[in-house]
Amino acid sequence: MPTRTRLCAALALGLLAVLAAASLCVGAYPLTPGRILALPGGGDPMAARVFFTLRLPRTALAALAGLALGAAGGVYQTVFRNPLASPDLTGVAGGASLGAAAAIVLGAGSAWQIMGGAFLCGLLSLAAVLGLVRAARAERTAAYVLAGILVSALAEAGVMLLKTLADPERELAAIEYWTMGSLAGVTAGKLAAAAPPVLAGLVLVLLFRRQAALLSLGQASARASGLEPRRWRALLLGLTTLMVAAVVSVAGGIAFVGLIAPHIAYGLLRRRGGAFLPLCAVTGADLLLAADLLA
């Protein structure tokens, strides 16, 4: 591993550890590292409730969501070969938000039902983007972004329609929560619902980072390397859709991480191969933890 890569990885991981520790300690009920370390031995009951019920799930989901969104953004920008590509610009996040809002209006009561609605509409949005590009016979990278903007606009219109149909006392407030994006209502149950699909998708995306890098060379070069571009593109985008839908289903729409994290990672590494996707993921976690701390 080159020295520059090791240095960037150490910097990103060190910052992640510092931000996670700060996230566990800072809040309306401040906790010191000493009080946290004393909790397993039967420390202050109030500190234990704050730590295990509020701080730990929120910090864990912030890191997990940041890892997912950062990696997803890196995959989109690599596969589409466009620095503006991200889950929110290519329609996936908007479609997932529409699915979550539809599930709420239809009476979904569990995180798994809302996640299912988000994932289904996220996949449909991705299929719509790919279908529009294929129908237009425009396999250029800009065509994917333009199609994603169109699908995102339609999804946003759908969310607005659902708001007009929602119960103002219960459902409307829940829909607003999803569209704004927040980690304030995170619980251990929501973390448990989101973690398996996010971790499964993240592990597979990082394992297939070489294939993603080959796709960025173009269809002809990918075929010459033994890859089937459409099959691998569909697999990678399906995995990122799974991660994004899981995050949206518990935290709402978080737009900036998937766009900014890959640019920071590329600025540090100066290349999109090798450790690029892992660094995108860790950078995304750093960004989201820092934003949540400020919030």
Side-chain angles (χ1 to χ4, degrees):
M1 184 183 294
T3 303
R4 186 187 187 93
T5 302
R6 289 199 299 268
L7 181 61
C8 292
L11 177 64
L13 290 171
L15 182 59
L16 178 61
V18 171
L19 289 170
S23 179
L24 292 173
C25 294
V26 175
Y29 187 90
L31 296 173
T32 62
R35 293 179 72 183
I36 292 175
L37 293 175
L39 293 179
D44 182 7
M46 178 59 72
R49 283 196 294 272
V50 170
F51 179 76
F52 291 110
T53 305
L54 300 177
R55 297 283 171 78
L56 188 58
R58 182 169 182 161
T59 300
L61 186 63
L64 196 64
L67 289 169
L69 295 172
V75 169
Y76 276 93
Q77 293 184 16
T78 300
V79 170
F80 290 141
R81 295 185 293 167
N82 191 311
L84 293 178
S86 67
D88 45 295
L89 289 180
T90 47
V92 174
S97 294
L98 176 60
I104 291 170
V105 172
L106 293 174
S110 70
W112 289 103
Q113 290 172 326
I114 296 174
M115 184 184 299
F119 181 55
L120 178 61
C121 282
L123 279 180
L124 291 175
S125 298
L126 177 61
V129 169
L130 298 178
L132 284 171
V133 172
R134 185 173 300 179
R137 297 180 180 178
E139 290 289 334
R140 299 184 302 274
T141 55
Y144 290 97
V145 176
L146 292 174
I149 292 173
L150 174 60
V151 171
S152 293
L154 292 174
E156 184 177 353
V159 172
M160 294 297 177
L161 176 61
L162 289 172
K163 285 181 180 180
T164 65
L165 300 175
D167 179 4
E169 294 184 359
R170 296 180 296 105
E171 298 169 348
L172 184 58
I175 293 175
E176 284 292 339
Y177 168 79
W178 297 118
T179 55
M180 290 176 61
S182 174
L183 298 171
V186 173
T187 62
K190 292 182 178 181
L191 176 63
V198 168
L199 291 174
L202 184 63
V203 169
L204 291 174
V205 161
L206 295 181
L207 286 176
F208 297 147
R209 62 184 184 273
R210 176 180 171 275
Q211 286 80 355
L214 290 174
L215 288 175
S216 69
L217 302 176
Q219 295 195 33
S221 298
R223 287 195 180 94
S225 301
L227 293 183
E228 172 50 45
R230 287 186 179 178
R231 183 178 303 168
W232 277 100
R233 185 186 293 118
L235 175 60
L236 288 169
L237 296 182
L239 291 172
T240 54
T241 300
L242 174 65
M243 296 190 297
V244 172
V247 171
V248 170
S249 70
V250 294
I254 302 174
F256 64 96
V257 176
L259 179 63
I260 298 175
H263 288 278
I264 296 175
Y266 179 75
L268 292 171
L269 288 181
R270 300 296 182 187
R271 61 193 181 99
R272 296 190 183 275
F276 172 69
L277 283 183
L279 187 59
C280 286
V282 179
T283 303
D286 290 339
L287 284 171
L288 194 50
L289 276 169
D292 189 50
L293 265 175
L294 293 174

